[in-house]
Amino acid sequence: VTLVLVALIALQQVQVEAVIDRNRVMLGETVALTITVEATGNEPVQILNPSTIGLEILGTTDQSDVSIRNGVATRVLTRTLRLQAAAAGTARIGATTVRLGESIAQTAAIEVIVVADDDDASAATLAPHIRQMVERHRPPSHSPDEVFVEVLTSTDSVVLGQQLDLAVIAWFPQQVRSQLRTPPTLQPPELQGAWTYSHGVPHAVDLRRDIGETRYQVYVHSVVVFPLTPGNLQIGPATVSYSLPMSYSFLSREVRHEPQSDSTRVLVAEQPEEGRPLFFEGAAGSRLEFTLQADPSELTVGGASVVTATLRGEGNVALWPEPRIRWPEGLRAYPEGVEVSLVPDSERIAGSKEFRYLIVPDSSGTHVISELTYPYYDLVAHRYVVLRAPELSIVAEFAAATTTAGQSDYRILMPTGRLGSLARFVEDLPLWVWLLIFVLPPLSAGLVTVSPRLKTTGGSTRSSTERELDRLEHDFRLVLNDLIGSAERGGGAELAAALRAAGVDAPIAAHAARVRERLWQANYGPESGGDPEELTAEVNEILKALGGAAPTSTHRVVAGMALLLVSTTAITSGLSGQTAERLYEASALRAAADSFTQRADAEPWVPSHWYNLGAVYERAGELERARRAWIRAARLAPRENRIRFALGQLPPQDVTSSRLTRVSPVTPAEAVMVATCLWILTWVGVALRLQKSLTVPAIVIALACATYGVSLANEYEDPVAIVLSDEVPLRDAPYGPARPRQFLPEGTAVAVVRIEGPWLLVERGVESGWLLSEEVVAIQ
């Protein structure tokens, strides 16, 4: 329990570190501040840039990485800030704040020594629009010897995403200014819920103002603010610090003074609802441009290219959201990093933000990236604008020499064998044969020994009925595959309509849909579908009406071979009759996967089909589909070294996933056959009057093996799915905008509880929620 509590506490923590590359620079040089954040869990991480005095932010670069440590996914986010020394003296980098849900972490402040080339280097000038703010402002009257500080705002209200300029002004009477031995220090106001860009240092502006009979020297510190939430933005007091000597003596002590300004607030209005585009995510700015380019745009299958999506314009560049890019089938995209570059000395914050992706094609041809749109709110035109970038074409060709010599062992296909036939044999044995195996040996031994006490079997009718219903479900699936080409259609009107379209009479089609729903209820529902014997007879009758007698094992093999032949002919008609293995060698991975899938569907008991299908998916980069195929192969041949090695290359995400996808050292069929042999031999020994010290343990072992085999078969038949991509939301309800409870990483295994159309109700430990069927792949 203690370990669990410690783990839960660790999941809520976030660690942050800020390091600067050097502590002493020349005026105008740049330094790099690297912020590293380590976080666990699925809560979004928010990094707030530190305040800077004496340094200006030129740009930022963001990178993220995910690693598994002790079975827990750990995210490592790195942000690099390029800072330019703006004035000589001691520059200061404030604390960096990081938020992860309710957890908050901060770093310590950092000081940097800025050395000037000459004495006039510190005479920096203000931006023109800030100077105009100061010159137009009329300060209130104060005492002639009083230093006071004010905070000016460029406007009283802004729209979310609009730039707000703050000017902190310190007014020094000339007689007080003449007594200063060191320049004063301005501390900007504290802002909550805002993104800030500092313009460096408190500048000694070449501006003297006469208020009454008093002449003032003005010091100014400017800050650019972007509010993050609508409502009232509270601006706290600003502070100016200075020291005055107690006497005219050079050795006199100094008294420190820190006057403060009043607090103020600015109204932040939300962006309008009218005209808001469908996929708008809050981007705001003006004069935005959106481009997409690839380097290189022509490459070989399996090679890599860098695609860069670039946004340029004015606004809060760092907070522009990532564009929605729909990658075409045949391209795998991996986020590589984000880089922000700011344009200095501009009235409005401007710059560019680059999103880089590593692209790997897994099939040949021209892959077109289209539908490139980026909606944003134009702060100048006061309307929504949708940018459209030209489509981008990436041409992929096969390499001149594509062989398997350099491939890993688990990428070499396995020859088609007959492993797994034992599982098929055990599954196809009729129920009456198993009853005879269970009843006949003890009955015969009792008759031979003329024992008055016959061993009662106590067989479970419920278990036998369930097996019979499972067999009928399997036969129903085969018949539907023959008639409508898909056994995955829902029940009710959809299935009835599909059967009518296949030529089945309307009454029979409607009755078949109702019977299949009852069969689903009996097999998967919380309540039975009625009398099992009546349902069994009814299913057999409807199977006869749909396609003759219920398919026998011979019929199933023939149907499977026919389906494989037709599918293979259709797939390879345009590929000169190539086999799946030849398609794989030619890197036609999509066609090879389809061919191996047809083989696995026709002969699901052959592990080589599943292994080869996994090898195709692994080479295509679809690792979770490869994991699913290799799990199927390992459960059919758990001691095959090549399968075990391949599955070992894709370890499960966590303990729960490992439990749901575990592979036993023996198959259920092997355990049942061992139990059957022991059972028969044991009762032969009873008939021959062997010692009870041998027969009783043998009976116990036989029953234990049988129980293990049956329970393992039931475990393998439990519906389990694997998450196909990273950060998949586990939703509260089966609809898209539902609130996500958590985000599941790629490769997470979940137990499927119920299916509602395209939605799956899944469980993961104590958590449950809804996933789209397209977001997962089922193991069975």
Side-chain angles (χ1 to χ4, degrees), residues 612-660:
N612 294 339
L613 178 60
V616 174
Y617 280 133
E618 191 279 335
R619 185 175 169 189
E622 300 183 41
L623 301 184
E624 303 316 318
R625 295 186 187 275
R627 186 198 305 272
R628 174 252 187 181
W630 283 341
I631 289 174
R632 291 290 299 269
R635 289 180 172 181
L636 292 170
R639 297 177 299 281
E640 177 67 31
N641 290 333
R642 187 180 299 184
I643 298 176
R644 292 171 56 191
F645 174 76
L647 192 57
Q649 306 307 307
L650 303 174
Q653 283 283 357
D654 47 50
V655 176
T656 302
S657 298
S658 178
R659 177 179 57 81
L660 292 175

Side-chain angles (χ1 to χ4, degrees), residues 88 125 291 421 552 585 644 736 772:
T125 59
T291 58
S421 298
T552 62
E585 292 174 0
R644 292 171 56 191
L772 279 171

Side-chain angles (χ1 to χ4, degrees), residues 83-102:
L83 307 173
Q84 184 179 40
T90 301
R92 186 176 185 274
I93 302 174
T96 302
T97 302
V98 176
R99 295 179 180 176
L100 175 66
E102 300 296 330

Side-chain angles (χ1 to χ4, degrees), residues 17 20 45 105 151 161 179 207 270 279 297 299 385 419 434 519 528 569 572 661 676 727 764:
E17 181 184 19
I20 199 165
V45 177
V151 177
Q179 301 178 45
L207 176 65
E270 194 169 3
F279 296 109
S297 59
L299 64 161
V385 177
L419 287 175
W434 291 109
L519 185 58
S528 64
T569 302
T572 61
T661 60
T676 301
E727 298 294 324
R764 174 172 168 76

Side-chain angles (χ1 to χ4, degrees), residues 241-503:
S241 301
Y242 64 95
S243 299
L244 295 177
M246 298 183 65
S247 66
Y248 290 103
S249 172
F250 181 78
L251 301 178
S252 172
R253 291 193 307 113
E254 292 185 343
V255 178
R256 189 169 184 82
H257 302 271
E258 292 186 347
Q260 289 186 338
S261 68
D262 296 330
S263 299
T264 185
R265 64 179 60 185
V266 174
L267 179 62
V268 182
E270 194 169 3
Q271 295 155 349
E273 291 284 346
E274 183 180 358
R276 181 175 295 182
L278 180 60
F279 296 109
F280 177 71
E281 297 184 3
S286 59
R287 301 184 180 89
L288 261 64
E289 299 177 359
F290 178 36
T291 58
L292 194 72
Q293 60 183 4
D295 183 23
S297 59
E298 298 182 1
L299 64 161
T300 59
V301 174
S305 174
V306 176
V307 173
T308 304
T310 304
L311 295 169
R312 291 186 178 89
E314 298 177 350
N316 192 1
V317 181
L319 290 187
W320 285 341
E322 182 179 1
R324 298 171 63 94
I325 302 177
R326 297 183 60 182
W327 303 104
E329 186 176 0
L331 282 184
R332 287 178 282 132
Y334 304 95
E336 195 177 45
V338 180
E339 183 172 352
V340 176
S341 298
L342 300 180
V343 178
D345 302 330
S346 176
E347 180 175 347
R348 292 190 179 94
I349 294 295
S352 64
K353 188 172 186 178
E354 295 182 351
F355 300 87
R356 293 189 299 273
Y357 307 90
L358 186 67
I359 304 300
V360 180
D362 57 21
S363 59
S364 63
T366 301
H367 306 280
V368 180
I369 306 173
S370 58
E371 300 181 15
L372 298 170
T373 60
Y374 192 81
Y376 77 99
Y377 182 72
D378 194 314
L379 297 169
V380 175
H382 303 291
R383 61 184 179 88
Y384 290 99
V385 177
V386 179
L387 299 177
R388 300 185 185 276
E391 64 181 24
L392 178 66
S393 297
I394 297 178
V395 180
E397 298 179 352
F398 292 122
T402 304
T403 64
T404 59
Q407 296 177 356
S408 303
D409 291 341
Y410 59 85
R411 288 191 175 183
I412 300 176
L413 299 183
M414 178 184 291
T416 301
R418 305 309 300 173
L419 287 175
S421 298
L422 178 62
R424 180 193 176 200
F425 171 76
V426 172
E427 181 180 351
D428 289 343
L429 279 180
L431 180 61
W432 63 268
V433 174
W434 291 109
L435 292 177
L436 285 180
I437 292 175
F438 187 74
V439 175
L440 194 56
L443 183 60
S444 300
L447 292 176
V448 171
T449 57
V450 199
S451 174
R453 296 174 297 174
L454 296 178
K455 202 76 171 177
T456 59
T457 61
S460 173
T461 304
R462 175 63 177 166
S463 176
S464 302
T465 303
E466 290 178 349
R467 291 179 62 85
E468 180 66 14
L469 292 177
D470 288 341
R471 185 186 67 79
L472 291 175
E473 166 67 16
H474 181 66
D475 294 342
F476 215 138
R477 183 183 297 270
L478 292 177
V479 171
L480 292 180
N481 275 328
D482 291 338
L483 288 175
I484 62 177
S486 174
E488 306 304 327
R489 293 183 181 272
E494 183 182 0
L495 179 58
L499 289 173
R500 288 197 300 272

Side-chain angles (χ1 to χ4, degrees), residues 40-57:
T40 56
N42 297 317
E43 292 286 344
V45 177
Q46 184 181 14
I47 304 176
L48 300 180
N49 283 349
S51 60
T52 57
I53 298 178
L55 300 168
E56 292 186 359
I57 300 177

